[in-house]
Amino acid sequence: MYPITSRFNDFESFRKIPHRGMDFAMEKDTPLKAIVEGRIQVIDYGNLSAGKTVVIKGEDGQTYIYGHLSEFNVKTGDYVKQGDLIGLSGNSGNVFGAGGGYHLDFSVKNEQGQFIDPAPYTEFIQNMNNPKYMESLLAETIQNASEGGFSLGNVMQQFSDGLSNLDFGSFTANLISFLLKYFPF
């Protein structure tokens, strides 16, 4: 577990405005995992603000921001899935705190671009390096997919339907439809 050292809207003496995220104390170079599927934007503010920052534009329309990293493991434009390694925790940017200030500053913006309380995501952040927790998320995803009609029979039927139609345009459309339905990018 990573101790929470600052919460959403906290107004510590070193802040000019209330905190827009949550801080989790971490050892330097703790692996940071993607909380959702989405597209990556990498920003390096240098010694200012959140320093090395990874932004995930989630499939859900929200934006997830990881700040003060020591290292990036992704680049702008990459697409990640939940649980993918995106970087390592650090103390880049403008940081305060004991032991070098190593931590993760995690923030979330809603679809309108407003910062919202990231507290509902605490369990994931606290357990992103716990293999059993991550396995349970994968199992839940597989269960949800099977309840949504994902089965080998459905896959084979859609594949067969595509092959039986020799019109290349229609086959391509069916294949793209299938891929987007079961493997969203």
PDB file of all heavy atoms in Angstrom, residues 29-41:
ATOM      1  N   ASP A  29      11.170   4.866  -8.515  1.00  0.00           N
ATOM      2  CA  ASP A  29      11.081   3.870  -9.586  1.00  0.00           C
ATOM      3  C   ASP A  29      10.066   2.754  -9.329  1.00  0.00           C
ATOM      4  O   ASP A  29      10.211   1.642  -9.836  1.00  0.00           O
ATOM      5  CB  ASP A  29      12.458   3.280  -9.903  1.00  0.00           C
ATOM      6  CG  ASP A  29      13.416   4.327 -10.458  1.00  0.00           C
ATOM      7  OD1 ASP A  29      12.946   5.320 -11.048  1.00  0.00           O
ATOM      8  OD2 ASP A  29      14.648   4.145 -10.304  1.00  0.00           O
ATOM      9  N   THR A  30       8.995   3.066  -8.594  1.00  0.00           N
ATOM     10  CA  THR A  30       7.889   2.123  -8.459  1.00  0.00           C
ATOM     11  C   THR A  30       7.158   2.048  -9.803  1.00  0.00           C
ATOM     12  O   THR A  30       6.835   3.081 -10.386  1.00  0.00           O
ATOM     13  CB  THR A  30       6.907   2.585  -7.359  1.00  0.00           C
ATOM     14  OG1 THR A  30       7.593   2.628  -6.104  1.00  0.00           O
ATOM     15  CG2 THR A  30       5.704   1.668  -7.254  1.00  0.00           C
ATOM     16  N   PRO A  31       6.895   0.850 -10.329  1.00  0.00           N
ATOM     17  CA  PRO A  31       6.177   0.737 -11.599  1.00  0.00           C
ATOM     18  C   PRO A  31       4.772   1.334 -11.491  1.00  0.00           C
ATOM     19  O   PRO A  31       4.042   1.054 -10.540  1.00  0.00           O
ATOM     20  CB  PRO A  31       6.106  -0.768 -11.850  1.00  0.00           C
ATOM     21  CG  PRO A  31       7.198  -1.355 -11.025  1.00  0.00           C
ATOM     22  CD  PRO A  31       7.307  -0.468  -9.813  1.00  0.00           C
ATOM     23  N   LEU A  32       4.412   2.144 -12.477  1.00  0.00           N
ATOM     24  CA  LEU A  32       3.090   2.764 -12.530  1.00  0.00           C
ATOM     25  C   LEU A  32       2.314   2.144 -13.682  1.00  0.00           C
ATOM     26  O   LEU A  32       2.811   2.053 -14.801  1.00  0.00           O
ATOM     27  CB  LEU A  32       3.219   4.276 -12.726  1.00  0.00           C
ATOM     28  CG  LEU A  32       4.032   5.005 -11.659  1.00  0.00           C
ATOM     29  CD1 LEU A  32       4.218   6.466 -12.028  1.00  0.00           C
ATOM     30  CD2 LEU A  32       3.374   4.867 -10.292  1.00  0.00           C
ATOM     31  N   LYS A  33       1.086   1.735 -13.402  1.00  0.00           N
ATOM     32  CA  LYS A  33       0.269   1.014 -14.378  1.00  0.00           C
ATOM     33  C   LYS A  33      -0.910   1.871 -14.841  1.00  0.00           C
ATOM     34  O   LYS A  33      -1.472   2.653 -14.078  1.00  0.00           O
ATOM     35  CB  LYS A  33      -0.272  -0.284 -13.766  1.00  0.00           C
ATOM     36  CG  LYS A  33       0.793  -1.168 -13.091  1.00  0.00           C
ATOM     37  CD  LYS A  33       1.677  -1.871 -14.075  1.00  0.00           C
ATOM     38  CE  LYS A  33       2.769  -2.698 -13.463  1.00  0.00           C
ATOM     39  NZ  LYS A  33       2.373  -3.782 -12.619  1.00  0.00           N
ATOM     40  N   ALA A  34      -1.295   1.662 -16.089  1.00  0.00           N
ATOM     41  CA  ALA A  34      -2.445   2.366 -16.669  1.00  0.00           C
ATOM     42  C   ALA A  34      -3.722   1.943 -15.962  1.00  0.00           C
ATOM     43  O   ALA A  34      -4.002   0.747 -15.841  1.00  0.00           O
ATOM     44  CB  ALA A  34      -2.540   2.083 -18.160  1.00  0.00           C
ATOM     45  N   ILE A  35      -4.480   2.920 -15.533  1.00  0.00           N
ATOM     46  CA  ILE A  35      -5.719   2.642 -14.809  1.00  0.00           C
ATOM     47  C   ILE A  35      -6.860   2.264 -15.749  1.00  0.00           C
ATOM     48  O   ILE A  35      -7.795   1.593 -15.351  1.00  0.00           O
ATOM     49  CB  ILE A  35      -6.090   3.840 -13.910  1.00  0.00           C
ATOM     50  CG1 ILE A  35      -7.096   3.438 -12.866  1.00  0.00           C
ATOM     51  CG2 ILE A  35      -6.553   5.032 -14.732  1.00  0.00           C
ATOM     52  CD1 ILE A  35      -7.176   4.375 -11.694  1.00  0.00           C
ATOM     53  N   VAL A  36      -6.755   2.698 -17.010  1.00  0.00           N
ATOM     54  CA  VAL A  36      -7.778   2.425 -18.019  1.00  0.00           C
ATOM     55  C   VAL A  36      -7.113   2.242 -19.382  1.00  0.00           C
ATOM     56  O   VAL A  36      -5.945   2.554 -19.554  1.00  0.00           O
ATOM     57  CB  VAL A  36      -8.798   3.583 -18.138  1.00  0.00           C
ATOM     58  CG1 VAL A  36      -9.626   3.746 -16.878  1.00  0.00           C
ATOM     59  CG2 VAL A  36      -8.110   4.878 -18.521  1.00  0.00           C
ATOM     60  N   GLU A  37      -7.910   1.779 -20.342  1.00  0.00           N
ATOM     61  CA  GLU A  37      -7.463   1.771 -21.734  1.00  0.00           C
ATOM     62  C   GLU A  37      -7.544   3.186 -22.260  1.00  0.00           C
ATOM     63  O   GLU A  37      -8.465   3.931 -21.918  1.00  0.00           O
ATOM     64  CB  GLU A  37      -8.370   0.889 -22.586  1.00  0.00           C
ATOM     65  CG  GLU A  37      -8.221  -0.578 -22.316  1.00  0.00           C
ATOM     66  CD  GLU A  37      -8.985  -1.420 -23.327  1.00  0.00           C
ATOM     67  OE1 GLU A  37      -9.076  -1.035 -24.503  1.00  0.00           O
ATOM     68  OE2 GLU A  37      -9.496  -2.465 -22.912  1.00  0.00           O
ATOM     69  N   GLY A  38      -6.568   3.557 -23.079  1.00  0.00           N
ATOM     70  CA  GLY A  38      -6.643   4.878 -23.671  1.00  0.00           C
ATOM     71  C   GLY A  38      -5.395   5.271 -24.418  1.00  0.00           C
ATOM     72  O   GLY A  38      -4.431   4.511 -24.527  1.00  0.00           O
ATOM     73  N   ARG A  39      -5.432   6.476 -24.925  1.00  0.00           N
ATOM     74  CA  ARG A  39      -4.350   7.049 -25.717  1.00  0.00           C
ATOM     75  C   ARG A  39      -3.447   7.876 -24.814  1.00  0.00           C
ATOM     76  O   ARG A  39      -3.912   8.613 -23.948  1.00  0.00           O
ATOM     77  CB  ARG A  39      -4.952   7.919 -26.815  1.00  0.00           C
ATOM     78  CG  ARG A  39      -4.007   8.384 -27.863  1.00  0.00           C
ATOM     79  CD  ARG A  39      -3.505   7.343 -28.814  1.00  0.00           C
ATOM     80  NE  ARG A  39      -4.541   6.641 -29.533  1.00  0.00           N
ATOM     81  CZ  ARG A  39      -4.349   5.478 -30.143  1.00  0.00           C
ATOM     82  NH1 ARG A  39      -3.175   4.908 -30.149  1.00  0.00           N
ATOM     83  NH2 ARG A  39      -5.330   4.876 -30.768  1.00  0.00           N
ATOM     84  N   ILE A  40      -2.141   7.784 -25.043  1.00  0.00           N
ATOM     85  CA  ILE A  40      -1.119   8.423 -24.205  1.00  0.00           C
ATOM     86  C   ILE A  40      -0.689   9.774 -24.752  1.00  0.00           C
ATOM     87  O   ILE A  40      -0.533   9.948 -25.958  1.00  0.00           O
ATOM     88  CB  ILE A  40       0.133   7.518 -24.101  1.00  0.00           C
ATOM     89  CG1 ILE A  40      -0.197   6.229 -23.352  1.00  0.00           C
ATOM     90  CG2 ILE A  40       1.312   8.248 -23.476  1.00  0.00           C
ATOM     91  CD1 ILE A  40      -0.460   6.397 -21.881  1.00  0.00           C
ATOM     92  N   GLN A  41      -0.469  10.701 -23.824  1.00  0.00           N
ATOM     93  CA  GLN A  41       0.239  11.944 -24.107  1.00  0.00           C
ATOM     94  C   GLN A  41       1.320  12.063 -23.038  1.00  0.00           C
ATOM     95  O   GLN A  41       1.041  11.922 -21.851  1.00  0.00           O
ATOM     96  CB  GLN A  41      -0.678  13.162 -24.049  1.00  0.00           C
ATOM     97  CG  GLN A  41       0.065  14.455 -24.320  1.00  0.00           C
ATOM     98  CD  GLN A  41      -0.836  15.683 -24.209  1.00  0.00           C
ATOM     99  OE1 GLN A  41      -1.999  15.599 -23.817  1.00  0.00           O
ATOM    100  NE2 GLN A  41      -0.286  16.826 -24.525  1.00  0.00           N
TER     101      GLN A  41
END
